[in-house]
Amino acid sequence: MTSSPYITQPTSVSIIMLKVMLALIPAIIAYVWYFGPAILVSLTLASITALVLETAALKLRSLPVKPYLMDGSALVTAWLLALSIPSIAPWWLIVVGLFFAIIVAKHLYGGLGNNLFNPAMVGYAILIISFPVPMTHWAAPSILAGHQLGLMESVQYIFNGTLSDTLDAISTATPLDTLRTQLHLNRSVGEITHMPIFGTFGGQGSEMIALFILLGGIYMWLARIITWHIPVAFIAGLATISGIFYIVDATHYASPWFHLATGGAMLGAFFIATDPVSGATTPKGKIIFGAGIGILTYLIRIMGAYPDGVAFAVLLMNIAVPLIDSYTQPAVYGHKDKQS
């Protein structure tokens, strides 16, 4: 038998952010295993940059630095952005992306709790629009790389841009980008997915990272950091629309498994779309919000100008959040629903 009191204190923001980062660690370990240690350099640089920018913004706003800095929100933004861009991207790309994420998308809107858009996705969108070339140089999987960068080589490459003569040996296009390019050459999906860069369901290595992100997401759900509504709706929306296109024409449209295991689908479903500030707040609203992101992600992938549409889908649905929440508010206890 347990004893009173039964009312518990709410979990602090810092504890929530710490658990989010812990949930990402298995995927980061898998990332290092399949693509080399460059991601560790990017994560370290992103973390330091985010803390510096957060401190500068707090001082400019005459706010106490320590309590806001210790909440961990800046670090989570840094990690999500670093995991969304190429691990071998030049250092300035991370700095520019985080400037727009922390300073513009977060603090110019009033800081944590007031931002209308997901900060990490704002930073990503700015980078992919402004600097498309470096955003396409992704590290090749270890089993395919002509030269796998070690830790110190990664530092040298990210900060100095040297080893440019081996760029073709260490970088490659993503599976989504390869699929798009090859389809334009009138090749079938079956032929394309037999290329070495593809694995069983998605890309070599990246499909395993997606699996570990899924496991991290399940941990967050079990720990009650997130609810099931947005991830399940996201996955269902993406799987449903991609499944319809696949059934109609499997020659030109990849399977739902491919779209779920490739790109930022799993990261978006569990770690990005579930942002409690910029996402929908009502149970029904979360389902609409998540499903909308999944559907838009697919439409951008097959019809848009960019191979992966998670960031733009999240930002577009962020705009719709006030409308979604206003129409999905549950009836006040003791009052009849307007529709009844």
Side-chain angles (χ1 to χ4, degrees), residues 119-138:
M121 293 300 94
V122 170
Y124 177 90
I126 293 294
L127 294 180
I128 193 67
I129 293 171
S130 304
F131 311 104
V133 174
M135 287 288 284
T136 60
H137 290 161
W138 291 80

Side-chain angles (χ1 to χ4, degrees), residues 87-305:
S87 60
I88 56 174
W91 65 270
W92 55 265
L93 204 67
I94 295 175
V95 173
V96 170
L98 283 171
F99 174 84
F100 281 96
I102 300 293
I103 302 298
V104 178
K106 181 179 179 182
H107 282 284
L108 288 186
Y109 282 91
L112 182 65
N114 298 296
N115 48 284
L116 301 178
F117 301 96
N118 185 288
M121 293 300 94
V122 170
Y124 177 90
I126 293 294
L127 294 180
I128 193 67
I129 293 171
S130 304
F131 311 104
V133 174
M135 287 288 284
T136 60
H137 290 161
W138 291 80
S142 300
I143 62 174
L144 300 178
H147 175 71
Q148 186 66 63
L149 296 181
L151 182 60
M152 294 311 298
E153 285 182 309
S154 299
V155 172
Q156 183 181 3
Y157 186 77
I158 291 172
F159 284 94
N160 297 329
T162 55
L163 305 176
S164 59
D165 57 323
T166 62
L167 180 62
D168 291 337
I170 65 173
S171 67
T172 185
T174 64
L176 283 171
D177 204 8
T178 301
L179 179 67
R180 173 192 290 265
T181 302
Q182 295 297 319
L183 283 174
H184 287 163
L185 298 177
N186 295 322
R187 299 187 66 184
S188 68
V189 171
E191 293 175 316
I192 298 168
T193 52
H194 278 89
M195 296 174 66
I197 193 176
F198 294 92
T200 304
F201 298 110
Q204 286 280 3
S206 60
E207 59 187 5
M208 293 303 300
I209 295 173
L211 174 61
F212 280 102
I213 290 174
L214 170 63
L215 295 177
I218 293 174
Y219 159 75
M220 289 201 300
W221 171 63
L222 293 175
R224 298 186 177 181
I225 303 300
I226 62 174
T227 63
W228 61 267
H229 303 80
I230 292 177
V232 170
F234 182 112
I235 293 171
L238 178 57
T240 299
I241 189 170
S242 59
I244 292 172
F245 277 81
Y246 179 69
I247 291 172
V248 172
D249 185 2
T251 302
H252 295 98
Y253 298 101
S255 69
W257 295 112
F258 174 83
H259 283 283
L260 291 173
T262 309
M266 287 297 123
L267 189 66
F270 289 98
F271 290 89
I272 295 172
T274 53
D275 175 21
V277 178
S278 59
T281 58
T282 66
K284 289 182 180 178
K286 289 179 179 180
I287 293 175
I288 296 171
F289 179 75
I293 296 174
I295 293 170
L296 285 174
T297 294
Y298 182 77
L299 294 177
I300 294 171
R301 282 181 175 184
I302 66 169
M303 300 178 184

